[in-house]
Amino acid sequence: MKRLLLLLEDQDIPLNQCYKDYEVCDDTLLIKKSNESYSSSIETRELVTLYEVFEKENNIKINILKNGDICVKKVFSPRYS
């Protein structure tokens, strides 16, 4: 989870217009979409940029929630004996 937070903080997320706040709960990072109205091009650009930050990481799942928030969840692979 520390790695995911470092990647997010490297993006200077407070400078975003649409996605500028986030919360951490256990193994989940929730990047919150602003309630203010922004152009779809700004929203899409920020969404794609954030997706690209995490896409190469192993063992994570990225979901876009109905309210537009981005959920990045650390998924632990099962161990085989």
Side-chain angles (χ1 to χ4, degrees):
M1 185 51 87
K2 289 179 185 178
R3 170 104 174 114
L4 298 179
L5 285 172
L6 288 173
L7 288 171
L8 184 61
E9 289 170 359
D10 284 346
Q11 294 304 305
D12 236 352
I13 196 166
L15 297 179
N16 282 351
Q17 293 178 7
C18 191
Y19 292 97
K20 58 169 79 176
D21 295 320
Y22 66 92
E23 290 180 13
V24 178
C25 288
D26 298 324
D27 58 351
T28 303
L29 179 60
L30 183 66
I31 305 168
K32 296 183 165 196
K33 180 181 171 192
S34 172
N35 290 330
E36 297 179 32
S37 184
Y38 292 100
S39 82
S40 60
S41 63
I42 291 172
E43 180 181 340
T44 303
R45 183 185 71 234
E46 291 181 8
L47 179 65
V48 168
T49 300
L50 289 168
Y51 179 81
E52 288 173 343
V53 167
F54 297 110
E55 74 176 333
K56 294 179 183 171
E57 292 299 306
N58 293 326
N59 299 324
I60 65 163
K61 184 176 181 181
I62 302 170
N63 288 318
I64 309 301
L65 306 178
K66 286 183 181 181
N67 64 357
D69 292 352
I70 304 169
C71 180
V72 181
K73 183 173 177 75
K74 186 77 174 160
V75 179
F76 299 99
S77 57
R79 294 182 181 221
Y80 298 99
S81 22

